[in-house]
Amino acid sequence: MGASLHRIGVARHRARGLVAGFAIMTPLGIIIGALITDALASHSQMLFEAVFGAVATGTFVYIATFDVIREEFLPPPPDRMSKWLAAILGLALMAIVAIWT
């Protein structure tokens, strides 16, 4: 993030503020989520966790698909087959972990 902000010419003090704001969002989200979860009844609590778990998973899949994988495979790299095999192996391992838990 810092390299991207530097590349587009954001002032150093503004970039520090943006990075600090970004860094505080995860702990803040955990605290708010824990407070809301504790305040809800058991059925509402499970629904709350399921909805936000699905949103988090969807965000992860979206970013992986449209940012990370796209940059790794376009333009076609010379070691394209090994990258595809690594991607498929990672997907298979994650599926096994999901089934196992």
Side-chain angles (χ1 to χ4, degrees), residues 87-97:
I88 292 169
L89 178 64
L91 179 66
L93 288 173
M94 291 305 294
I96 291 168
V97 169

Side-chain angles (χ1 to χ4, degrees), residues 3-95:
S4 296
L5 292 172
H6 178 71
R7 185 178 40 231
I8 62 173
V10 175
R12 183 172 284 182
H13 70 283
R14 175 111 169 112
R16 285 183 183 152
L18 291 170
V19 170
F22 180 79
I24 197 71
M25 287 302 141
T26 297
L28 186 63
I30 290 170
I31 291 168
I32 291 171
L35 292 173
I36 291 172
T37 301
D38 286 343
L40 296 174
S42 82
H43 178 68
S44 298
Q45 178 182 5
M46 289 187 339
L47 182 62
F48 177 80
E49 289 179 11
V51 167
F52 282 93
V55 170
T57 303
T59 302
F60 176 75
V61 169
Y62 177 84
I63 290 172
T65 303
F66 290 105
D67 276 350
V68 177
I69 293 176
R70 180 178 53 106
E71 287 182 20
E72 285 296 321
F73 290 101
L74 296 175
D79 57 346
R80 187 176 193 170
M81 185 57 87
S82 64
K83 286 190 175 192
W84 273 114
L85 289 173
I88 292 169
L89 178 64
L91 179 66
L93 288 173
M94 291 305 294

